[in-house]
Amino acid sequence: DGQFAVCEAGALETEPKYDYVLATSVFHYFDLAYAQDVLDRMLKKAEKAVAVLDVPKLAMRDAAEALRRASLSQEEYEEKYRGLMHTYYDPAWFEDQGRSYGHRCRIFDTRVSTHPQTQFRFNAILSAA
């Protein structure tokens, strides 16, 4: 009974409004300027909360990159990840963004996946105060 839209994240319409807006496993493909635009749209669209899930932790970047590189040869790695550089986030970035909207932000580790990168990821829930 839900309504779902599939679109370029930066093209997300802010109307109509919904209680919850969710993004999962995509913010690492956004540069910071694009991420800020997308999060802005999500916050304007959501009446109650925004969830941004499976976000790479800035403090864990070296370990995450080392794990990705260790599973492939240099040639395989370059082929597989060409054009797919990841952006890593400090959880404080989400807290700051939420605060600018008067939202509180809850940060917690990703624990629902057995994917090896999960140990280097977090979730951010920004809710209206």
Side-chain angles (χ1 to χ4, degrees):
D1 292 335
Q3 292 183 9
F4 299 89
V6 177
C7 65
E8 178 71 28
L12 178 69
E13 297 289 336
T14 58
E15 294 290 338
K17 301 232 184 265
Y18 290 97
D19 288 344
Y20 302 98
V21 179
L22 166 76
T24 185
S25 300
V26 296
F27 264 66
H28 53 282
Y29 294 118
F30 303 162
D31 65 33
L32 282 176
Y34 190 76
Q36 186 165 4
D37 179 54
V38 171
L39 187 59
D40 176 68
R41 291 170 181 275
M42 292 173 72
L43 287 164
K44 287 177 179 173
K45 188 167 190 71
E47 293 282 351
K48 294 182 179 179
V50 165
V52 182
L53 308 176
D54 202 36
V55 180
K57 295 178 193 175
L58 180 59
M60 303 296 285
R61 177 177 38 208
D62 292 344
E65 291 292 327
L67 181 64
R68 281 195 333 167
R69 287 184 178 279
S71 65
L72 302 168
S73 72
Q74 182 66 27
E75 185 177 289
E76 291 169 322
Y77 180 86
E78 288 175 11
E79 177 65 26
K80 183 174 183 175
Y81 292 106
R82 181 176 293 121
L84 296 176
M85 298 307 296
H86 287 180
T87 299
Y88 291 80
Y89 295 83
D90 185 328
W93 184 83
F94 285 94
E95 293 168 340
D96 292 344
Q97 299 302 311
R99 199 171 9 263
S100 72
Y101 280 84
H103 285 49
R104 61 182 185 269
C105 182
R106 181 171 168 241
I107 302 290
F108 56 98
D109 288 338
T110 300
R111 294 188 181 132
V112 294
S113 172
T114 58
H115 188 279
Q117 289 292 324
T118 298
Q119 63 188 314
F120 308 120
R121 307 252 171 118
F122 69 93
N123 302 305
I125 307 290
L126 296 88
S127 354

